Amino acid sequence: MLYLIGLGLSYKSDITVRGLEAIKRCSRVYLEHYTSILMAASQEELEHYYGKTVILADRELVESGSDKILSGADKEDVAFLVVGDPFGATTHTDLVLRAKRQNISVEIIHNASVMNAVGSCGLQLYQFGQTISMVFFTENWRPDSWYDKIMENRKIGLHTLVLLDIKVKEQSIENMARGKLIYEPPRYMSISQCCEQLLEIEDKRNAKAYTSDTPAVAISRLGSASQEFKAGTIQELVEYDAGEPLHSLVILGRQCHELELEYLLEFADDREKFKADVLKDQEFFKPAPWVPPAEEDSE
């Protein structure tokens, strides 16, 4: 059996009882280590808590060496641990499909993830549209395909969750070209950098999917003891120091309910200004009033 087990967002004890029981039955335990990190628990602490050796699974192992993970899983139990929920990244769907093609039984054990815990900022989950990922820009690579998804969300009034890039065990282009197994220090995108990139692409595309005055919510260390929220415009959040990672961002949609707004005001430096910014933003993409068609003259 291959178990895909969600670990939750922060603590070693965030794992479900069923997930922990499954780990204790497994002969090998892998921890996916590139889409997110468990903020309040180290590899050593997890090993002590589980009573098992934990093998770190980087992107290369999961995407190119999945046969190593699946090897023997038809005869013994193997655990693949994912921070958050197992299906928070498409890579894990691919692993399940590979297992099924090899006739390996799969069991999924779910947990909390940013996709549902984001509701703790006060925005209602059913008011969210498509989620996007913001990657680190480089000198020659500044992708903006996500812009169209924000536009689509904003046109129908929905909030946009922005997941910020992390780089763990990544090689520089130079070292990759030379075949050197030298890895860059871990990097985690900040709220400030994300907002700078948002404004850069808006300036480039100039379609007004959002503006510098569009309200947003900065989310820091979601699910941990130091969890924080900050409500402000995208421009204001460029100047915001969100502290230690992990960070994410929500761009508000036009349909911001009064209860959502009341909740968000708790996180605004200037409550009256933020309320005015939200009300002003609600005019963007506001549908034109319905006008009944003119009746045709009957003869």
Side-chain angles (χ1 to χ4, degrees), residues 181-196:
L181 289 177
I182 300 174
Y183 299 102
E184 300 291 293
R187 289 192 298 151
Y188 306 93
M189 183 180 288
S190 68
I191 294 292
S192 175
Q193 184 171 3
C194 174
C195 289
E196 286 178 351

Side-chain angles (χ1 to χ4, degrees), residues 70-108:
L70 298 176
S71 177
D74 55 336
K75 302 180 182 66
E76 58 187 1
D77 292 328
V78 176
F80 184 78
L81 313 182
V82 180
V83 175
D85 187 80
F87 287 131
T90 54
T91 299
H92 310 137
T93 305
D94 182 67
L95 183 64
V96 171
L97 291 173
R98 289 172 184 267
K100 289 183 176 181
R101 284 196 287 267
Q102 297 181 37
N103 294 317
I104 296 171
S105 298
V106 178
E107 183 171 334
I108 311 298

Side-chain angles (χ1 to χ4, degrees), residues 18 31 41 47 56 64 73 115 119 163 182 184 186 198 216 290 296:
R18 188 160 70 94
L31 172 61
E47 289 180 330
L56 293 183
S64 303
M115 303 294 285
L163 302 177
I182 300 174
E184 300 291 293
L198 282 167
W290 182 78
E296 295 183 5

Side-chain angles (χ1 to χ4, degrees), residues 230-248:
K230 174 67 71 176
T233 65
I234 294 176
Q235 183 61 60
E236 287 169 346
L237 293 177
V238 167
E239 308 300 326
Y240 174 54
D241 181 359
E244 294 294 312
L246 298 170
H247 300 164
S248 51

